[in-house]
PDB file of all heavy atoms in Angstrom:
ATOM      1  N   ILE H   1     -87.911  39.101 -38.650  1.00 92.00           N
ATOM      2  CA  ILE H   1     -87.587  37.753 -39.130  1.00 92.00           C
ATOM      3  C   ILE H   1     -88.443  37.453 -40.357  1.00 92.00           C
ATOM      4  O   ILE H   1     -89.617  37.810 -40.430  1.00 92.00           O
ATOM      5  CB  ILE H   1     -87.801  36.690 -38.044  1.00 92.00           C
ATOM      6  CG1 ILE H   1     -89.206  36.790 -37.437  1.00 92.00           C
ATOM      7  CG2 ILE H   1     -86.761  36.835 -36.938  1.00 92.00           C
ATOM      8  CD1 ILE H   1     -89.509  35.706 -36.412  1.00 92.00           C
ATOM      9  N   PHE H   2     -87.832  36.796 -41.332  1.00 94.00           N
ATOM     10  CA  PHE H   2     -88.537  36.520 -42.580  1.00 94.00           C
ATOM     11  C   PHE H   2     -87.917  35.320 -43.272  1.00 94.00           C
ATOM     12  O   PHE H   2     -86.761  34.942 -43.028  1.00 94.00           O
ATOM     13  CB  PHE H   2     -88.472  37.731 -43.518  1.00 94.00           C
ATOM     14  CG  PHE H   2     -87.070  38.135 -43.895  1.00 94.00           C
ATOM     15  CD1 PHE H   2     -86.399  37.535 -44.960  1.00 94.00           C
ATOM     16  CD2 PHE H   2     -86.406  39.110 -43.165  1.00 94.00           C
ATOM     17  CE1 PHE H   2     -85.113  37.902 -45.302  1.00 94.00           C
ATOM     18  CE2 PHE H   2     -85.111  39.486 -43.492  1.00 94.00           C
ATOM     19  CZ  PHE H   2     -84.465  38.876 -44.563  1.00 94.00           C
ATOM     20  N   ILE H   3     -88.714  34.725 -44.149  1.00 94.00           N
ATOM     21  CA  ILE H   3     -88.269  33.669 -45.069  1.00 94.00           C
ATOM     22  C   ILE H   3     -88.881  33.972 -46.417  1.00 94.00           C
ATOM     23  O   ILE H   3     -90.109  34.156 -46.529  1.00 94.00           O
ATOM     24  CB  ILE H   3     -88.697  32.271 -44.585  1.00 94.00           C
ATOM     25  CG1 ILE H   3     -88.051  31.924 -43.233  1.00 94.00           C
ATOM     26  CG2 ILE H   3     -88.322  31.215 -45.622  1.00 94.00           C
ATOM     27  CD1 ILE H   3     -88.517  30.590 -42.670  1.00 94.00           C
ATOM     28  N   ARG H   4     -88.031  34.021 -47.448  1.00 94.00           N
ATOM     29  CA  ARG H   4     -88.523  34.306 -48.795  1.00 94.00           C
ATOM     30  C   ARG H   4     -88.084  33.169 -49.726  1.00 94.00           C
ATOM     31  O   ARG H   4     -86.895  32.836 -49.795  1.00 94.00           O
ATOM     32  CB  ARG H   4     -87.956  35.630 -49.312  1.00 94.00           C
ATOM     33  CG  ARG H   4     -88.252  36.837 -48.411  1.00 94.00           C
ATOM     34  CD  ARG H   4     -87.868  38.126 -49.093  1.00 94.00           C
ATOM     35  NE  ARG H   4     -87.921  39.267 -48.186  1.00 94.00           N
ATOM     36  CZ  ARG H   4     -86.856  39.877 -47.685  1.00 94.00           C
ATOM     37  NH1 ARG H   4     -85.639  39.472 -48.041  1.00 94.00           N
ATOM     38  NH2 ARG H   4     -86.981  40.896 -46.868  1.00 94.00           N
ATOM     39  N   LEU H   5     -89.051  32.614 -50.421  1.00 94.00           N
ATOM     40  CA  LEU H   5     -88.785  31.532 -51.376  1.00 94.00           C
ATOM     41  C   LEU H   5     -89.082  32.009 -52.786  1.00 94.00           C
ATOM     42  O   LEU H   5     -90.075  32.719 -53.014  1.00 94.00           O
ATOM     43  CB  LEU H   5     -89.653  30.318 -51.055  1.00 94.00           C
ATOM     44  CG  LEU H   5     -89.329  29.558 -49.760  1.00 94.00           C
ATOM     45  CD1 LEU H   5     -90.434  28.561 -49.453  1.00 94.00           C
ATOM     46  CD2 LEU H   5     -87.992  28.855 -49.862  1.00 94.00           C
ATOM     47  N   SER H   6     -88.230  31.624 -53.725  1.00 93.00           N
ATOM     48  CA  SER H   6     -88.453  31.992 -55.125  1.00 93.00           C
ATOM     49  C   SER H   6     -87.834  30.925 -56.014  1.00 93.00           C
ATOM     50  O   SER H   6     -87.020  30.112 -55.565  1.00 93.00           O
ATOM     51  CB  SER H   6     -87.834  33.365 -55.436  1.00 93.00           C
ATOM     52  OG  SER H   6     -86.439  33.346 -55.217  1.00 93.00           O
ATOM     53  N   SER H   7     -88.220  30.929 -57.259  1.00 92.00           N
ATOM     54  CA  SER H   7     -87.670  29.971 -58.232  1.00 92.00           C
ATOM     55  C   SER H   7     -87.789  30.549 -59.632  1.00 92.00           C
ATOM     56  O   SER H   7     -88.632  31.425 -59.888  1.00 92.00           O
ATOM     57  CB  SER H   7     -88.398  28.631 -58.144  1.00 92.00           C
ATOM     58  OG  SER H   7     -89.765  28.793 -58.509  1.00 92.00           O
ATOM     59  N   TYR H   8     -86.956  30.064 -60.507  1.00 90.00           N
ATOM     60  CA  TYR H   8     -87.040  30.476 -61.913  1.00 90.00           C
ATOM     61  C   TYR H   8     -86.306  29.446 -62.775  1.00 90.00           C
ATOM     62  O   TYR H   8     -85.451  28.693 -62.278  1.00 90.00           O
ATOM     63  CB  TYR H   8     -86.438  31.869 -62.119  1.00 90.00           C
ATOM     64  CG  TYR H   8     -84.962  31.985 -61.797  1.00 90.00           C
ATOM     65  CD1 TYR H   8     -83.985  31.814 -62.781  1.00 90.00           C
ATOM     66  CD2 TYR H   8     -84.543  32.268 -60.494  1.00 90.00           C
ATOM     67  CE1 TYR H   8     -82.642  31.932 -62.478  1.00 90.00           C
ATOM     68  CE2 TYR H   8     -83.205  32.384 -60.185  1.00 90.00           C
ATOM     69  CZ  TYR H   8     -82.250  32.209 -61.188  1.00 90.00           C
ATOM     70  OH  TYR H   8     -80.916  32.315 -60.879  1.00 90.00           O
ATOM     71  N   ALA H   9     -86.681  29.407 -64.021  1.00 89.00           N
ATOM     72  CA  ALA H   9     -86.071  28.483 -64.984  1.00 89.00           C
ATOM     73  C   ALA H   9     -85.241  29.274 -65.987  1.00 89.00           C
ATOM     74  O   ALA H   9     -85.613  30.385 -66.385  1.00 89.00           O
ATOM     75  CB  ALA H   9     -87.135  27.669 -65.703  1.00 89.00           C
ATOM     76  N   LYS H  10     -84.122  28.687 -66.375  1.00 88.00           N
ATOM     77  CA  LYS H  10     -83.252  29.299 -67.370  1.00 88.00           C
ATOM     78  C   LYS H  10     -82.731  28.190 -68.273  1.00 88.00           C
ATOM     79  O   LYS H  10     -81.829  27.442 -67.898  1.00 88.00           O
ATOM     80  CB  LYS H  10     -82.100  30.038 -66.690  1.00 88.00           C
ATOM     81  CG  LYS H  10     -81.284  30.897 -67.643  1.00 88.00           C
ATOM     82  CD  LYS H  10     -80.249  31.718 -66.893  1.00 88.00           C
ATOM     83  CE  LYS H  10     -79.474  32.620 -67.836  1.00 88.00           C
ATOM     84  NZ  LYS H  10     -78.454  33.424 -67.123  1.00 88.00           N
ATOM     85  N   GLY H  11     -83.319  28.084 -69.438  1.00 85.00           N
ATOM     86  CA  GLY H  11     -82.972  26.987 -70.332  1.00 85.00           C
ATOM     87  C   GLY H  11     -83.429  25.668 -69.725  1.00 85.00           C
ATOM     88  O   GLY H  11     -84.583  25.504 -69.322  1.00 85.00           O
ATOM     89  N   LYS H  12     -82.509  24.723 -69.630  1.00 88.00           N
ATOM     90  CA  LYS H  12     -82.818  23.433 -69.031  1.00 88.00           C
ATOM     91  C   LYS H  12     -82.559  23.396 -67.533  1.00 88.00           C
ATOM     92  O   LYS H  12     -82.745  22.362 -66.889  1.00 88.00           O
ATOM     93  CB  LYS H  12     -81.989  22.327 -69.706  1.00 88.00           C
ATOM     94  CG  LYS H  12     -82.385  22.058 -71.147  1.00 88.00           C
ATOM     95  CD  LYS H  12     -81.605  20.873 -71.695  1.00 88.00           C
ATOM     96  CE  LYS H  12     -82.053  20.556 -73.120  1.00 88.00           C
ATOM     97  NZ  LYS H  12     -81.328  19.381 -73.668  1.00 88.00           N
ATOM     98  N   MET H  13     -82.135  24.518 -66.995  1.00 91.00           N
ATOM     99  CA  MET H  13     -81.798  24.578 -65.573  1.00 91.00           C
ATOM    100  C   MET H  13     -82.949  25.200 -64.783  1.00 91.00           C
ATOM    101  O   MET H  13     -83.614  26.129 -65.249  1.00 91.00           O
ATOM    102  CB  MET H  13     -80.521  25.377 -65.344  1.00 91.00           C
ATOM    103  CG  MET H  13     -79.316  24.883 -66.134  1.00 91.00           C
ATOM    104  SD  MET H  13     -78.968  23.117 -65.902  1.00 91.00           S
ATOM    105  CE  MET H  13     -78.567  23.103 -64.138  1.00 91.00           C
ATOM    106  N   PHE H  14     -83.171  24.657 -63.602  1.00 92.00           N
ATOM    107  CA  PHE H  14     -84.205  25.164 -62.697  1.00 92.00           C
ATOM    108  C   PHE H  14     -83.530  25.585 -61.397  1.00 92.00           C
ATOM    109  O   PHE H  14     -82.733  24.831 -60.822  1.00 92.00           O
ATOM    110  CB  PHE H  14     -85.253  24.073 -62.439  1.00 92.00           C
ATOM    111  CG  PHE H  14     -86.357  24.517 -61.533  1.00 92.00           C
ATOM    112  CD1 PHE H  14     -87.281  25.462 -61.946  1.00 92.00           C
ATOM    113  CD2 PHE H  14     -86.478  23.988 -60.252  1.00 92.00           C
ATOM    114  CE1 PHE H  14     -88.308  25.867 -61.108  1.00 92.00           C
ATOM    115  CE2 PHE H  14     -87.498  24.385 -59.411  1.00 92.00           C
ATOM    116  CZ  PHE H  14     -88.414  25.333 -59.840  1.00 92.00           C
ATOM    117  N   PHE H  15     -83.844  26.773 -60.929  1.00 94.00           N
ATOM    118  CA  PHE H  15     -83.172  27.346 -59.765  1.00 94.00           C
ATOM    119  C   PHE H  15     -84.178  27.564 -58.632  1.00 94.00           C
ATOM    120  O   PHE H  15     -85.260  28.117 -58.843  1.00 94.00           O
ATOM    121  CB  PHE H  15     -82.521  28.682 -60.114  1.00 94.00           C
ATOM    122  CG  PHE H  15     -81.413  28.574 -61.123  1.00 94.00           C
ATOM    123  CD1 PHE H  15     -81.701  28.579 -62.487  1.00 94.00           C
ATOM    124  CD2 PHE H  15     -80.097  28.460 -60.723  1.00 94.00           C
ATOM    125  CE1 PHE H  15     -80.690  28.472 -63.424  1.00 94.00           C
ATOM    126  CE2 PHE H  15     -79.079  28.363 -61.654  1.00 94.00           C
ATOM    127  CZ  PHE H  15     -79.365  28.365 -63.010  1.00 94.00           C
ATOM    128  N   LEU H  16     -83.796  27.120 -57.431  1.00 94.00           N
ATOM    129  CA  LEU H  16     -84.550  27.388 -56.214  1.00 94.00           C
ATOM    130  C   LEU H  16     -83.708  28.297 -55.325  1.00 94.00           C
ATOM    131  O   LEU H  16     -82.504  28.057 -55.165  1.00 94.00           O
ATOM    132  CB  LEU H  16     -84.858  26.092 -55.464  1.00 94.00           C
ATOM    133  CG  LEU H  16     -85.877  25.147 -56.094  1.00 94.00           C
ATOM    134  CD1 LEU H  16     -85.843  23.800 -55.394  1.00 94.00           C
ATOM    135  CD2 LEU H  16     -87.268  25.738 -56.022  1.00 94.00           C
ATOM    136  N   GLU H  17     -84.320  29.307 -54.766  1.00 94.00           N
ATOM    137  CA  GLU H  17     -83.583  30.246 -53.920  1.00 94.00           C
ATOM    138  C   GLU H  17     -84.390  30.565 -52.665  1.00 94.00           C
ATOM    139  O   GLU H  17     -85.607  30.734 -52.733  1.00 94.00           O
ATOM    140  CB  GLU H  17     -83.283  31.527 -54.690  1.00 94.00           C
ATOM    141  CG  GLU H  17     -82.342  32.477 -53.962  1.00 94.00           C
ATOM    142  CD  GLU H  17     -81.907  33.649 -54.826  1.00 94.00           C
ATOM    143  OE1 GLU H  17     -81.024  33.465 -55.686  1.00 94.00           O
ATOM    144  OE2 GLU H  17     -82.476  34.745 -54.634  1.00 94.00           O
ATOM    145  N   MET H  18     -83.688  30.621 -51.549  1.00 94.00           N
ATOM    146  CA  MET H  18     -84.333  30.943 -50.289  1.00 94.00           C
ATOM    147  C   MET H  18     -83.486  31.954 -49.523  1.00 94.00           C
ATOM    148  O   MET H  18     -82.274  31.773 -49.400  1.00 94.00           O
ATOM    149  CB  MET H  18     -84.534  29.701 -49.422  1.00 94.00           C
ATOM    150  CG  MET H  18     -85.372  29.962 -48.181  1.00 94.00           C
ATOM    151  SD  MET H  18     -85.374  28.570 -47.049  1.00 94.00           S
ATOM    152  CE  MET H  18     -83.694  28.672 -46.454  1.00 94.00           C
ATOM    153  N   GLU H  19     -84.126  32.993 -49.008  1.00 94.00           N
ATOM    154  CA  GLU H  19     -83.479  33.979 -48.157  1.00 94.00           C
ATOM    155  C   GLU H  19     -84.129  33.930 -46.784  1.00 94.00           C
ATOM    156  O   GLU H  19     -85.355  33.800 -46.683  1.00 94.00           O
ATOM    157  CB  GLU H  19     -83.615  35.390 -48.743  1.00 94.00           C
ATOM    158  CG  GLU H  19     -82.894  35.590 -50.069  1.00 94.00           C
ATOM    159  CD  GLU H  19     -83.086  37.006 -50.595  1.00 94.00           C
ATOM    160  OE1 GLU H  19     -84.017  37.696 -50.123  1.00 94.00           O
ATOM    161  OE2 GLU H  19     -82.305  37.426 -51.457  1.00 94.00           O
ATOM    162  N   ASN H  20     -83.331  34.033 -45.759  1.00 93.00           N
ATOM    163  CA  ASN H  20     -83.891  34.092 -44.409  1.00 93.00           C
ATOM    164  C   ASN H  20     -83.016  34.959 -43.520  1.00 93.00           C
ATOM    165  O   ASN H  20     -81.800  35.096 -43.744  1.00 93.00           O
ATOM    166  CB  ASN H  20     -84.043  32.698 -43.807  1.00 93.00           C
ATOM    167  CG  ASN H  20     -82.709  32.015 -43.566  1.00 93.00           C
ATOM    168  OD1 ASN H  20     -82.196  31.358 -44.461  1.00 93.00           O
ATOM    169  ND2 ASN H  20     -82.164  32.141 -42.370  1.00 93.00           N
ATOM    170  N   SER H  21     -83.632  35.553 -42.531  1.00 93.00           N
ATOM    171  CA  SER H  21     -82.885  36.351 -41.563  1.00 93.00           C
ATOM    172  C   SER H  21     -82.204  35.423 -40.561  1.00 93.00           C
ATOM    173  O   SER H  21     -82.699  34.322 -40.284  1.00 93.00           O
ATOM    174  CB  SER H  21     -83.828  37.304 -40.835  1.00 93.00           C
ATOM    175  OG  SER H  21     -84.924  36.592 -40.287  1.00 93.00           O
ATOM    176  N   PHE H  22     -81.068  35.854 -40.030  1.00 91.00           N
ATOM    177  CA  PHE H  22     -80.364  35.099 -38.991  1.00 91.00           C
ATOM    178  C   PHE H  22     -79.512  36.078 -38.199  1.00 91.00           C
ATOM    179  O   PHE H  22     -79.475  37.276 -38.483  1.00 91.00           O
ATOM    180  CB  PHE H  22     -79.546  33.966 -39.605  1.00 91.00           C
ATOM    181  CG  PHE H  22     -78.243  34.374 -40.226  1.00 91.00           C
ATOM    182  CD1 PHE H  22     -77.030  33.933 -39.728  1.00 91.00           C
ATOM    183  CD2 PHE H  22     -78.224  35.220 -41.332  1.00 91.00           C
ATOM    184  CE1 PHE H  22     -75.839  34.315 -40.314  1.00 91.00           C
ATOM    185  CE2 PHE H  22     -77.040  35.601 -41.911  1.00 91.00           C
ATOM    186  CZ  PHE H  22     -75.832  35.148 -41.404  1.00 91.00           C
ATOM    187  N   ASP H  23     -78.832  35.575 -37.173  1.00 86.00           N
ATOM    188  CA  ASP H  23     -78.135  36.474 -36.252  1.00 86.00           C
ATOM    189  C   ASP H  23     -76.801  36.976 -36.787  1.00 86.00           C
ATOM    190  O   ASP H  23     -76.095  37.718 -36.095  1.00 86.00           O
ATOM    191  CB  ASP H  23     -77.918  35.773 -34.903  1.00 86.00           C
ATOM    192  CG  ASP H  23     -77.111  34.495 -35.022  1.00 86.00           C
ATOM    193  OD1 ASP H  23     -76.644  34.187 -36.146  1.00 86.00           O
ATOM    194  OD2 ASP H  23     -76.952  33.800 -34.009  1.00 86.00           O
ATOM    195  N   GLY H  24     -76.414  36.569 -37.986  1.00 82.00           N
ATOM    196  CA  GLY H  24     -75.171  37.054 -38.580  1.00 82.00           C
ATOM    197  C   GLY H  24     -73.933  36.311 -38.151  1.00 82.00           C
ATOM    198  O   GLY H  24     -72.833  36.601 -38.621  1.00 82.00           O
ATOM    199  N   LYS H  25     -74.090  35.318 -37.265  1.00 79.00           N
ATOM    200  CA  LYS H  25     -72.931  34.563 -36.775  1.00 79.00           C
ATOM    201  C   LYS H  25     -72.833  33.243 -37.535  1.00 79.00           C
ATOM    202  O   LYS H  25     -73.780  32.461 -37.527  1.00 79.00           O
ATOM    203  CB  LYS H  25     -73.054  34.295 -35.275  1.00 79.00           C
ATOM    204  CG  LYS H  25     -73.177  35.562 -34.437  1.00 79.00           C
ATOM    205  CD  LYS H  25     -73.491  35.224 -32.986  1.00 79.00           C
ATOM    206  CE  LYS H  25     -73.747  36.467 -32.171  1.00 79.00           C
ATOM    207  NZ  LYS H  25     -74.142  36.159 -30.780  1.00 79.00           N
ATOM    208  N   VAL H  26     -71.699  33.025 -38.177  1.00 74.00           N
ATOM    209  CA  VAL H  26     -71.503  31.814 -38.966  1.00 74.00           C
ATOM    210  C   VAL H  26     -70.225  31.127 -38.500  1.00 74.00           C
ATOM    211  O   VAL H  26     -69.166  31.749 -38.416  1.00 74.00           O
ATOM    212  CB  VAL H  26     -71.404  32.124 -40.476  1.00 74.00           C
ATOM    213  CG1 VAL H  26     -71.092  30.861 -41.255  1.00 74.00           C
ATOM    214  CG2 VAL H  26     -72.704  32.732 -40.965  1.00 74.00           C
ATOM    215  N   MET H  27     -70.344  29.855 -38.187  1.00 66.00           N
ATOM    216  CA  MET H  27     -69.175  29.044 -37.852  1.00 66.00           C
ATOM    217  C   MET H  27     -68.791  28.248 -39.090  1.00 66.00           C
ATOM    218  O   MET H  27     -69.586  27.459 -39.603  1.00 66.00           O
ATOM    219  CB  MET H  27     -69.481  28.100 -36.689  1.00 66.00           C
ATOM    220  CG  MET H  27     -69.703  28.796 -35.355  1.00 66.00           C
ATOM    221  SD  MET H  27     -70.101  27.607 -34.048  1.00 66.00           S
ATOM    222  CE  MET H  27     -68.620  26.582 -34.106  1.00 66.00           C
ATOM    223  N   ARG H  28     -67.583  28.477 -39.557  1.00 60.00           N
ATOM    224  CA  ARG H  28     -67.127  27.743 -40.748  1.00 60.00           C
ATOM    225  C   ARG H  28     -65.674  27.336 -40.562  1.00 60.00           C
ATOM    226  O   ARG H  28     -64.805  28.180 -40.349  1.00 60.00           O
ATOM    227  CB  ARG H  28     -67.272  28.583 -42.005  1.00 60.00           C
ATOM    228  CG  ARG H  28     -66.937  27.799 -43.271  1.00 60.00           C
ATOM    229  CD  ARG H  28     -67.112  28.623 -44.520  1.00 60.00           C
ATOM    230  NE  ARG H  28     -66.867  27.829 -45.706  1.00 60.00           N
ATOM    231  CZ  ARG H  28     -66.883  28.287 -46.941  1.00 60.00           C
ATOM    232  NH1 ARG H  28     -67.160  29.566 -47.142  1.00 60.00           N
ATOM    233  NH2 ARG H  28     -66.632  27.501 -47.967  1.00 60.00           N
TER     234      ARG H  28
END
């Protein structure tokens, strides 16, 4: 199990990104 946080800027835009482990089951 893990959580990874990262961010970066591109021009005037700022991006936040997060990755995490899960059981692979998604209800949509």
Side-chain angles (χ1 to χ4, degrees):
I1 53 176
F2 60 85
I3 297 176
R4 303 189 190 106
L5 291 169
S6 61
S7 64
Y8 62 93
K10 190 174 182 180
K12 292 185 177 181
M13 305 307 296
F14 181 69
F15 296 85
L16 290 168
E17 189 172 282
M18 188 189 71
E19 295 179 343
N20 66 272
S21 53
F22 78 116
D23 59 4
K25 302 172 185 176
V26 176
M27 292 179 59
R28 186 179 184 183

